[in-house]
Short mmCIF file of all heavy atoms in Angstrom, two decimals:
data_model
loop_
_atom_site.label_atom_id
_atom_site.label_comp_id
_atom_site.label_asym_id
_atom_site.label_seq_id
_atom_site.Cartn_x
_atom_site.Cartn_y
_atom_site.Cartn_z
N THR A 1 80.82 170.20 119.47
CA THR A 1 79.50 170.59 118.89
C THR A 1 79.17 172.07 119.21
O THR A 1 78.20 172.55 118.76
CB THR A 1 78.38 169.67 119.44
OG1 THR A 1 78.29 169.84 120.86
CG2 THR A 1 78.60 168.26 119.11
N HIS A 2 80.01 172.65 120.07
CA HIS A 2 79.87 174.06 120.26
C HIS A 2 80.39 174.79 119.06
O HIS A 2 80.74 174.14 118.08
CB HIS A 2 80.69 174.49 121.53
CG HIS A 2 80.09 173.97 122.80
ND1 HIS A 2 80.66 174.15 124.02
CD2 HIS A 2 78.93 173.28 123.05
CE1 HIS A 2 79.91 173.62 124.97
NE2 HIS A 2 78.87 173.05 124.41
N PRO A 3 80.45 176.13 119.00
CA PRO A 3 80.87 176.82 117.75
C PRO A 3 82.20 176.28 117.23
O PRO A 3 82.96 175.70 117.95
CB PRO A 3 81.01 178.29 118.21
CG PRO A 3 80.04 178.41 119.32
CD PRO A 3 80.06 177.07 120.03
N ASP A 4 82.35 176.47 115.95
CA ASP A 4 83.53 175.97 115.22
C ASP A 4 84.79 176.22 116.01
O ASP A 4 85.10 177.33 116.43
CB ASP A 4 83.57 176.68 113.84
CG ASP A 4 84.77 176.21 113.06
OD1 ASP A 4 84.70 175.10 112.45
OD2 ASP A 4 85.79 176.94 113.02
N CYS A 5 85.60 175.17 116.15
CA CYS A 5 86.76 175.20 117.01
C CYS A 5 87.85 176.21 116.48
O CYS A 5 88.49 176.94 117.27
CB CYS A 5 87.38 173.82 117.15
SG CYS A 5 86.30 172.67 118.07
N ILE A 6 88.00 176.22 115.11
CA ILE A 6 88.97 177.13 114.56
C ILE A 6 88.55 178.57 114.79
O ILE A 6 89.34 179.45 115.08
CB ILE A 6 89.17 176.79 113.07
CG1 ILE A 6 89.78 175.43 112.89
CG2 ILE A 6 90.06 177.87 112.41
CD1 ILE A 6 89.90 174.94 111.46
N GLU A 7 87.24 178.82 114.64
CA GLU A 7 86.70 180.13 114.86
C GLU A 7 86.92 180.57 116.30
O GLU A 7 87.31 181.68 116.56
CB GLU A 7 85.21 180.14 114.53
CG GLU A 7 84.49 181.44 114.83
CD GLU A 7 82.98 181.29 114.68
OE1 GLU A 7 82.53 180.56 113.80
OE2 GLU A 7 82.27 181.91 115.48
N ARG A 8 86.73 179.65 117.23
CA ARG A 8 86.94 179.96 118.65
C ARG A 8 88.41 180.24 118.92
O ARG A 8 88.72 181.10 119.74
CB ARG A 8 86.44 178.77 119.50
CG ARG A 8 84.95 178.50 119.39
CD ARG A 8 84.58 177.20 120.03
NE ARG A 8 84.36 177.30 121.44
CZ ARG A 8 84.09 176.28 122.20
NH1 ARG A 8 83.95 175.06 121.68
NH2 ARG A 8 83.91 176.42 123.52
N TYR A 9 89.30 179.46 118.30
CA TYR A 9 90.72 179.71 118.44
C TYR A 9 91.10 181.07 117.96
O TYR A 9 91.81 181.86 118.67
CB TYR A 9 91.48 178.63 117.68
CG TYR A 9 92.95 178.90 117.49
CD1 TYR A 9 93.85 178.74 118.50
CD2 TYR A 9 93.44 179.35 116.26
CE1 TYR A 9 95.18 179.00 118.35
CE2 TYR A 9 94.78 179.62 116.09
CZ TYR A 9 95.66 179.44 117.13
OH TYR A 9 97.00 179.72 116.95
N GLN A 10 90.64 181.43 116.78
CA GLN A 10 91.00 182.73 116.24
C GLN A 10 90.43 183.88 117.04
O GLN A 10 91.11 184.94 117.21
CB GLN A 10 90.54 182.83 114.76
CG GLN A 10 91.28 181.84 113.84
CD GLN A 10 90.69 181.78 112.44
OE1 GLN A 10 89.55 182.16 112.23
NE2 GLN A 10 91.48 181.30 111.49
N ARG A 11 89.24 183.72 117.57
CA ARG A 11 88.58 184.77 118.29
C ARG A 11 89.27 185.05 119.64
O ARG A 11 89.22 186.17 120.14
CB ARG A 11 87.11 184.43 118.54
CG ARG A 11 86.24 185.54 119.08
CD ARG A 11 84.79 185.17 119.20
NE ARG A 11 84.57 184.05 120.10
CZ ARG A 11 84.14 182.89 119.74
NH1 ARG A 11 83.87 182.62 118.45
NH2 ARG A 11 83.93 181.87 120.60
N THR A 12 89.87 184.02 120.22
CA THR A 12 90.47 184.16 121.53
C THR A 12 92.02 184.21 121.51
O THR A 12 92.64 184.24 122.57
CB THR A 12 90.06 182.98 122.43
OG1 THR A 12 90.48 181.75 121.84
CG2 THR A 12 88.53 182.92 122.59
N LEU A 13 92.58 184.32 120.35
CA LEU A 13 94.04 184.24 120.20
C LEU A 13 94.73 185.34 121.00
O LEU A 13 95.77 185.17 121.62
CB LEU A 13 94.43 184.31 118.70
CG LEU A 13 95.84 183.89 118.35
CD1 LEU A 13 96.16 182.49 118.82
CD2 LEU A 13 96.00 183.95 116.83
N SER A 14 94.15 186.55 120.95
CA SER A 14 94.74 187.66 121.60
C SER A 14 94.65 187.62 123.11
O SER A 14 95.29 188.39 123.85
CB SER A 14 94.07 188.98 121.14
OG SER A 14 92.72 189.00 121.50
N LEU A 15 93.86 186.66 123.66
CA LEU A 15 93.62 186.55 125.08
C LEU A 15 94.53 185.50 125.73
O LEU A 15 94.38 185.24 126.94
CB LEU A 15 92.17 186.21 125.40
CG LEU A 15 91.13 187.20 124.78
CD1 LEU A 15 89.73 186.68 125.02
CD2 LEU A 15 91.31 188.58 125.46
N ALA A 16 95.45 184.91 124.96
CA ALA A 16 96.33 183.86 125.47
C ALA A 16 97.18 184.34 126.61
O ALA A 16 97.63 185.49 126.62
CB ALA A 16 97.21 183.33 124.35
N SER A 17 97.41 183.47 127.57
CA SER A 17 98.32 183.83 128.69
C SER A 17 99.77 183.88 128.17
O SER A 17 100.08 183.23 127.17
CB SER A 17 98.18 182.77 129.80
OG SER A 17 96.86 182.70 130.31
N PRO A 18 100.60 184.64 128.83
CA PRO A 18 102.02 184.64 128.45
C PRO A 18 102.57 183.26 128.58
O PRO A 18 101.90 182.36 129.17
CB PRO A 18 102.65 185.60 129.48
CG PRO A 18 101.54 186.44 129.99
CD PRO A 18 100.33 185.55 129.98
N SER A 19 103.77 183.04 128.12
CA SER A 19 104.36 181.70 128.15
C SER A 19 104.26 181.06 129.50
O SER A 19 104.56 181.69 130.53
CB SER A 19 105.88 181.82 127.79
OG SER A 19 106.49 180.55 127.78
N PHE A 20 103.76 179.84 129.49
CA PHE A 20 103.57 179.11 130.80
C PHE A 20 103.78 177.64 130.60
O PHE A 20 103.76 177.13 129.43
CB PHE A 20 102.21 179.37 131.38
CG PHE A 20 101.04 178.76 130.63
CD1 PHE A 20 100.55 177.50 131.05
CD2 PHE A 20 100.49 179.34 129.52
CE1 PHE A 20 99.49 176.90 130.36
CE2 PHE A 20 99.44 178.74 128.80
CZ PHE A 20 98.97 177.51 129.23
N THR A 21 104.00 176.92 131.66
CA THR A 21 104.19 175.49 131.61
C THR A 21 102.86 174.81 132.03
O THR A 21 102.33 175.11 133.12
CB THR A 21 105.33 175.01 132.55
OG1 THR A 21 106.53 175.64 132.10
CG2 THR A 21 105.48 173.49 132.49
N GLU A 22 102.33 173.95 131.20
CA GLU A 22 101.08 173.26 131.54
C GLU A 22 101.27 172.32 132.72
O GLU A 22 102.34 171.82 132.96
CB GLU A 22 100.60 172.43 130.31
CG GLU A 22 100.07 173.26 129.16
CD GLU A 22 99.53 172.36 128.11
OE1 GLU A 22 100.06 171.26 127.86
OE2 GLU A 22 98.52 172.76 127.49
N THR A 23 100.20 172.13 133.42
CA THR A 23 100.14 171.15 134.51
C THR A 23 99.50 169.87 134.02
O THR A 23 98.27 169.87 133.78
CB THR A 23 99.33 171.73 135.70
OG1 THR A 23 99.79 173.05 135.99
CG2 THR A 23 99.51 170.80 136.91
N PRO A 24 100.23 168.78 133.82
CA PRO A 24 99.61 167.54 133.28
C PRO A 24 98.56 167.04 134.21
O PRO A 24 98.64 167.15 135.42
CB PRO A 24 100.84 166.56 133.21
CG PRO A 24 102.01 167.42 133.26
CD PRO A 24 101.68 168.63 134.09
N VAL A 25 97.52 166.42 133.58
CA VAL A 25 96.52 165.70 134.42
C VAL A 25 97.23 164.51 135.01
O VAL A 25 97.90 163.74 134.32
CB VAL A 25 95.36 165.24 133.57
CG1 VAL A 25 94.34 164.50 134.38
CG2 VAL A 25 94.70 166.42 132.83
N PRO A 26 97.16 164.31 136.34
CA PRO A 26 97.85 163.18 136.96
C PRO A 26 97.49 161.84 136.35
O PRO A 26 96.34 161.63 135.98
CB PRO A 26 97.38 163.25 138.45
CG PRO A 26 97.02 164.67 138.65
CD PRO A 26 96.46 165.16 137.35
N ALA A 27 98.49 161.00 136.14
CA ALA A 27 98.27 159.69 135.51
C ALA A 27 97.19 158.89 136.25
O ALA A 27 96.41 158.17 135.65
CB ALA A 27 99.60 158.94 135.48
N LEU A 28 97.22 158.99 137.59
CA LEU A 28 96.23 158.25 138.35
C LEU A 28 94.82 158.70 138.02
O LEU A 28 93.87 157.85 137.91
CB LEU A 28 96.51 158.41 139.85
CG LEU A 28 95.54 157.72 140.80
CD1 LEU A 28 95.59 156.19 140.60
CD2 LEU A 28 95.82 158.05 142.23
N ILE A 29 94.58 159.98 137.83
CA ILE A 29 93.27 160.51 137.54
C ILE A 29 92.81 160.05 136.16
O ILE A 29 91.68 159.61 135.96
CB ILE A 29 93.27 162.07 137.60
CG1 ILE A 29 93.60 162.58 139.03
CG2 ILE A 29 91.95 162.63 137.16
CD1 ILE A 29 92.63 162.10 140.08
N LYS A 30 93.75 160.12 135.18
CA LYS A 30 93.41 159.68 133.81
C LYS A 30 93.08 158.15 133.83
O LYS A 30 92.12 157.71 133.17
CB LYS A 30 94.56 159.94 132.86
CG LYS A 30 94.53 161.34 132.26
CD LYS A 30 95.59 161.46 131.23
CE LYS A 30 95.52 162.74 130.42
NZ LYS A 30 94.43 162.77 129.49
N GLU A 31 93.88 157.40 134.58
CA GLU A 31 93.67 155.95 134.58
C GLU A 31 92.33 155.60 135.19
O GLU A 31 91.60 154.73 134.68
CB GLU A 31 94.80 155.30 135.41
CG GLU A 31 94.76 153.78 135.49
CD GLU A 31 95.29 153.11 134.24
OE1 GLU A 31 95.62 153.81 133.25
OE2 GLU A 31 95.39 151.88 134.24
N ARG A 32 91.98 156.24 136.29
CA ARG A 32 90.69 155.97 136.91
C ARG A 32 89.53 156.33 136.01
O ARG A 32 88.58 155.57 135.87
CB ARG A 32 90.58 156.71 138.27
CG ARG A 32 91.57 156.25 139.30
CD ARG A 32 91.42 157.01 140.63
NE ARG A 32 90.25 156.49 141.37
CZ ARG A 32 90.30 155.47 142.20
NH1 ARG A 32 91.41 154.79 142.41
NH2 ARG A 32 89.19 155.10 142.83
N ALA A 33 89.62 157.49 135.38
CA ALA A 33 88.57 157.93 134.43
C ALA A 33 88.42 156.94 133.28
O ALA A 33 87.32 156.59 132.84
CB ALA A 33 88.86 159.33 133.93
N ASN A 34 89.57 156.45 132.80
CA ASN A 34 89.55 155.53 131.66
C ASN A 34 88.93 154.20 132.08
O ASN A 34 88.09 153.64 131.33
CB ASN A 34 91.00 155.28 131.18
CG ASN A 34 91.03 154.61 129.83
OD1 ASN A 34 90.39 155.09 128.85
ND2 ASN A 34 91.75 153.51 129.71
N LYS A 35 89.25 153.72 133.23
CA LYS A 35 88.64 152.45 133.70
C LYS A 35 87.15 152.60 133.97
O LYS A 35 86.35 151.69 133.68
CB LYS A 35 89.37 151.98 134.98
CG LYS A 35 90.78 151.42 134.76
CD LYS A 35 91.37 150.95 136.08
CE LYS A 35 92.73 150.30 135.83
NZ LYS A 35 93.35 149.85 137.07
N ILE A 36 86.79 153.76 134.48
CA ILE A 36 85.33 154.01 134.79
C ILE A 36 84.53 153.96 133.46
O ILE A 36 83.48 153.30 133.39
CB ILE A 36 85.17 155.39 135.48
CG1 ILE A 36 85.60 155.28 136.94
CG2 ILE A 36 83.74 155.88 135.36
CD1 ILE A 36 85.69 156.57 137.65
N LEU A 37 85.03 154.61 132.41
CA LEU A 37 84.22 154.65 131.21
C LEU A 37 84.31 153.27 130.44
O LEU A 37 83.34 152.88 129.82
CB LEU A 37 84.63 155.79 130.28
CG LEU A 37 86.04 155.89 129.69
CD1 LEU A 37 86.11 155.09 128.38
CD2 LEU A 37 86.39 157.34 129.42
N ILE A 38 85.42 152.55 130.59
CA ILE A 38 85.53 151.22 129.95
C ILE A 38 84.59 150.28 130.66
O ILE A 38 83.86 149.48 129.98
CB ILE A 38 87.01 150.72 130.00
CG1 ILE A 38 87.86 151.43 128.94
CG2 ILE A 38 87.05 149.23 129.80
CD1 ILE A 38 89.29 151.08 128.95
N TRP A 39 84.55 150.31 131.94
CA TRP A 39 83.62 149.40 132.66
C TRP A 39 82.18 149.78 132.30
O TRP A 39 81.32 148.88 132.11
CB TRP A 39 83.81 149.48 134.16
CG TRP A 39 82.70 148.76 134.89
CD1 TRP A 39 81.62 149.34 135.51
CD2 TRP A 39 82.54 147.36 134.98
NE1 TRP A 39 80.78 148.34 136.02
CE2 TRP A 39 81.33 147.11 135.70
CE3 TRP A 39 83.26 146.26 134.56
CZ2 TRP A 39 80.84 145.85 135.99
CZ3 TRP A 39 82.80 145.00 134.88
CH2 TRP A 39 81.60 144.82 135.56
N ASN A 40 81.87 151.08 132.22
CA ASN A 40 80.52 151.51 131.89
C ASN A 40 80.13 151.02 130.51
O ASN A 40 78.98 150.60 130.28
CB ASN A 40 80.43 153.01 131.94
CG ASN A 40 79.02 153.52 131.86
OD1 ASN A 40 78.10 153.05 132.52
ND2 ASN A 40 78.83 154.51 131.00
N MET A 41 81.07 151.04 129.53
CA MET A 41 80.78 150.55 128.20
C MET A 41 80.49 149.06 128.23
O MET A 41 79.56 148.58 127.53
CB MET A 41 82.00 150.79 127.29
CG MET A 41 82.17 152.22 126.81
SD MET A 41 83.63 152.39 125.80
CE MET A 41 83.33 153.98 125.07
N PHE A 42 81.25 148.34 129.01
CA PHE A 42 81.02 146.88 129.09
C PHE A 42 79.65 146.63 129.70
O PHE A 42 78.86 145.79 129.19
CB PHE A 42 82.07 146.20 129.98
CG PHE A 42 81.76 144.80 130.40
CD1 PHE A 42 81.79 143.79 129.48
CD2 PHE A 42 81.35 144.55 131.68
CE1 PHE A 42 81.43 142.50 129.85
CE2 PHE A 42 81.01 143.25 132.06
CZ PHE A 42 81.05 142.22 131.13
N ASP A 43 79.33 147.29 130.79
CA ASP A 43 78.03 147.03 131.47
C ASP A 43 76.90 147.44 130.61
O ASP A 43 75.81 146.84 130.72
CB ASP A 43 78.02 147.79 132.78
CG ASP A 43 76.85 147.31 133.66
OD1 ASP A 43 76.85 146.17 134.05
OD2 ASP A 43 75.94 148.13 133.93
N ASN A 44 77.09 148.37 129.68
CA ASN A 44 76.02 148.81 128.78
C ASN A 44 76.08 148.03 127.45
O ASN A 44 75.35 148.41 126.50
CB ASN A 44 76.11 150.30 128.49
CG ASN A 44 75.72 151.11 129.70
OD1 ASN A 44 74.82 150.75 130.43
ND2 ASN A 44 76.37 152.24 129.87
N LEU A 45 76.91 147.05 127.37
CA LEU A 45 77.03 146.18 126.16
C LEU A 45 77.36 146.99 124.89
O LEU A 45 76.79 146.83 123.85
CB LEU A 45 75.78 145.34 125.90
CG LEU A 45 75.57 144.11 126.78
CD1 LEU A 45 74.32 143.38 126.42
CD2 LEU A 45 76.80 143.18 126.73
N ASN A 46 78.35 147.86 125.05
CA ASN A 46 78.93 148.53 123.89
C ASN A 46 80.33 147.96 123.71
O ASN A 46 81.33 148.61 123.95
CB ASN A 46 78.98 150.03 124.13
CG ASN A 46 79.32 150.80 122.90
OD1 ASN A 46 79.47 150.27 121.80
ND2 ASN A 46 79.42 152.13 123.02
N LEU A 47 80.38 146.71 123.25
CA LEU A 47 81.59 145.90 123.42
C LEU A 47 82.73 146.19 122.46
O LEU A 47 83.91 146.05 122.84
CB LEU A 47 81.22 144.41 123.33
CG LEU A 47 80.25 143.93 124.45
CD1 LEU A 47 80.02 142.41 124.31
CD2 LEU A 47 80.71 144.31 125.82
#
């Protein structure tokens, strides 16, 4: 909902870092976040 994503991409294209290897989000962190929001949905009856 912030400014148009394509516009933001084009505006910042020249500021990209040189070639690099991404650091994946640890699986444990993703799993915990996923369970947290799933439980919250259940408790709020968004089934």
Side-chain angles (χ1 to χ4, degrees):
T1 62
H2 290 176
D4 179 80
C5 294
I6 296 175
E7 176 189 323
R8 296 168 83 183
Y9 167 76
Q10 293 172 339
R11 190 175 61 246
T12 59
L13 196 55
S14 62
L15 302 174
S17 300
S19 179
F20 70 96
T21 301
E22 288 185 324
T23 311
V25 180
L28 179 63
I29 298 299
K30 274 187 172 285
E31 182 80 354
R32 294 181 77 88
N34 196 52
K35 287 181 176 180
I36 284 170
L37 64 86
I38 284 176
W39 170 259
N40 189 48
M41 284 178 166
F42 166 74
D43 192 63
N44 289 326
L45 283 183
N46 191 3
L47 298 185

